[in-house]
Amino acid sequence: MALYQKYRPTDFSELIGNREELDAFRAALAKPAEDRPTAYLLTGPRGIGKTTAARIAARELGATVMSLREVNSADNRGIDTAREIIDEMRLASLSGDARCYIIDEIHQCSRDWMNAMLKPLEDTPPRTYFFLCTTDPQKLIAPLCSRCHPVNLKPLPTKLLYRLLFKVATKEGIKCSKDTLEEVAEAAQGSPRDALVLLEKIAGLYGPETVPTDAAVSKLLAQGAEE
């Protein structure tokens, strides 16, 4: 299992950074059902934790494996997918669990998809929630955004990424100098996922006991940050 998967947060308390934004998100989720938003728009750069936060929120609302559906917009961007979701919404969950939809990279959906989802987002059945995740909210139509509670996640400071890297490296027995971890944190450009991917790549190339602090690491990090 990749490090970013192994150390993926499973609770809001485990998410690092963006405290104000996440606290506001949790406050919205904690409202009485009649006042609680049913659609949330999570924006931010790649690897920042948008989908992870959406999964945690879905569980807090009572969704189970059977009542949580994740849609990859890269493969399901057309009107047919929207119609399928709309049809599903009409079916009450047999278990009584919350029904949640996580739409990843929603900006890749067609304009027809977005228009088709406007009414469902505004008039959802009881205990049905949507989490729309995107790195490019500018590509969304304005009516879609206006129907969602915004959750705007920002890149993490380098010092927080360093702390994450130090914690994971210690647990995994990866011996890196402070300079190397700081360089990895800087190269990740605010993304905890990218930070752990880079750390794993370095450890895989050099071995956990022999991670160097020379130009080879700098070159590798530069390449990794560009991918």
Side-chain angles (χ1 to χ4, degrees):
M1 181 183 294
L3 289 181
Y4 78 89
Q5 295 173 318
K6 183 176 180 180
Y7 290 94
R8 176 176 285 150
T10 58
D11 185 85
F12 274 114
S13 63
E14 297 176 4
L15 289 167
I16 60 175
N18 286 296
R19 287 323 324 161
E20 291 184 7
E21 293 79 5
L22 291 172
D23 286 346
F25 187 22
R26 296 190 72 179
L29 295 170
K31 289 182 178 181
E34 63 271 17
D35 299 325
R36 183 186 303 140
T38 57
Y40 302 82
L41 178 61
L42 291 88
T43 64
R46 70 173 194 173
I48 198 65
K50 300 182 296 296
T51 304
T52 297
R55 289 171 180 164
I56 293 171
R59 285 195 294 269
E60 289 208 353
L61 289 171
T64 65
V65 174
M66 297 301 294
S67 62
L68 171 62
R69 178 177 176 183
E70 295 191 31
V71 177
N72 182 351
S73 297
D75 301 319
N76 302 276
R77 68 185 71 184
I79 187 67
D80 289 342
T81 301
R83 289 170 177 159
E84 183 181 334
I85 292 173
I86 293 169
D87 288 341
E88 282 184 4
M89 288 172 55
R90 298 192 181 109
L91 301 176
S93 177
L94 296 178
S95 64
D97 300 318
R99 184 182 294 274
C100 294
Y101 295 90
I102 298 176
I103 316 296
D104 203 18
E105 296 302 342
I106 189 176
H107 63 272
Q108 296 189 31
C109 289
S110 68
R111 192 175 186 87
D112 286 343
W113 189 103
M114 296 182 194
N115 281 313
M117 290 301 298
L118 292 180
K119 184 171 176 56
L121 288 175
E122 190 171 31
D123 187 21
T124 59
R127 295 180 60 74
T128 299
Y129 303 92
F130 285 88
F131 301 92
L132 315 181
C133 305
T134 179
T135 56
D136 199 351
Q138 292 79 11
K139 292 183 178 180
L140 304 181
I141 61 174
L144 186 75
C145 298
S146 68
R147 285 162 169 77
C148 300
H149 178 87
V151 183
N152 304 314
L153 302 181
K154 304 176 181 65
L156 301 189
T158 301
K159 64 180 181 180
L160 287 184
L161 292 180
Y162 171 81
R163 292 174 189 168
L164 172 65
L165 289 166
F166 180 81
K167 174 183 176 181
V168 172
T170 300
K171 288 187 175 181
E172 295 293 319
I174 301 173
K175 295 185 178 180
C176 289
S177 69
K178 182 175 184 293
D179 289 343
T180 296
L181 291 181
E182 288 178 342
E183 196 170 359
V184 172
E186 185 69 30
Q189 299 182 347
S191 167
R193 183 182 67 196
D194 286 359
L196 294 180
V197 168
L198 289 171
L199 177 65
E200 187 167 24
K201 185 179 291 187
I202 290 174
L205 283 177
Y206 296 106
E209 300 291 331
T210 58
V211 176
T213 58
D214 56 15
V217 172
S218 297
K219 182 178 180 180
L220 177 63
L221 291 176
Q223 294 172 345
E226 292 172 0
E227 293 176 355

